[in-house]
Structure formats: C-alpha cells, structure tokens
Amino acid sequence: MSNLPQSGSPELSLQTVMHIVYGLFAVSLISAGFLGLAAVAGVILLYVKRQDFAATYFDGHATWLLATFWWSVLALAVSFLATLIYIGWIGVFATVVWALYRVIRGWLALVEGRSPVEFE
C-alpha cells in the first residue's frame, strides 16, 4: 500500500503545496542564494499551512525545511561576519552545499511519500 495520497483526497493539495515549497527553496538556492525571496515565500507558506500539515507526514517535511532555513540563516550570518577576516566564504559555500543537500534529500523523500528523516 502506498503512502501517497489518492486523487481527490484533501492531502493531495498538501502534497502540491509541499512540492511548491521545495521548488521555491530550490529556485532560491540556484538563483539568488538561500536568503532569496523565493525561500522567504516558502517559509511564509510553511507557517501559513503548518496547522494543515499536522498529523501527516508533511509535518516532517515542514519541520525539515524550516530547520534548513533557520540554521542556514544562522550559518550564513556567521559566515558573512567571518568574511571580514577572509575565511567566511568557505562557510558560505559549505552552507549552500548543505542546504542544497537537504532540499534534494527532502524532495526525494516527498516523491517517495516518506518523511525526510525516514529517508536513509
């Protein structure tokens, strides 16, 4: 039996919303860096739909993406400060690679109908 929602079920719209959020994060990473407007739009959408995601496997995805965003914001802030002593660009690069990994891993888990933390 598949974990994917059936056509016409209310979860189908939640799955679409989650695909949109992953797409926004991916566009932000590829185009303007992780703090781009697309990622901010994705975070807003996650917070707006957070109650709808409760008690579904989409809640794990929402938590995964929010943690990715906020930890990346912190890491990028520290990295940008470290650019004053010319070593921060290493942190910026590492943060972008880490965030890209998490977006890809989470999106693959979503396609499989699983939570990203179960995806091993």
Side-chain angles (χ1 to χ4, degrees):
M1 182 185 247
S2 173
N3 288 339
L4 295 175
Q6 300 300 317
S7 180
S9 72
E11 286 191 54
L12 186 59
S13 63
L14 294 179
Q15 185 177 33
T16 302
V17 168
M18 196 55 69
H19 278 293
I20 290 169
V21 172
Y22 273 109
L24 288 169
F25 273 61
V27 165
S28 182
L29 278 166
I30 292 168
S31 65
F34 194 74
L35 289 175
L37 291 177
V40 173
V43 167
I44 292 169
L45 189 55
L46 284 172
Y47 280 120
V48 167
K49 298 296 277 182
R50 186 70 187 224
Q51 192 67 27
D52 296 340
F53 293 141
T56 68
Y57 76 95
F58 299 116
D59 188 49
H61 287 279
T63 301
W64 177 264
L65 286 170
L66 289 171
T68 301
F69 179 81
W70 290 115
W71 281 110
S72 295
V73 168
L74 178 64
L76 287 175
V78 170
S79 296
F80 283 129
L81 286 175
T83 59
L84 298 173
I85 54 173
Y86 304 106
I87 62 169
W89 296 111
I90 296 168
V92 171
F93 178 75
T95 301
V96 170
V97 168
W98 175 78
L100 186 60
Y101 162 76
R102 286 182 57 99
V103 168
I104 291 169
R105 179 178 170 174
W107 212 344
L108 288 174
L110 178 64
V111 168
E112 291 185 3
R114 303 166 72 181
S115 175
V117 293
E118 296 172 4
F119 189 65
E120 298 294 335

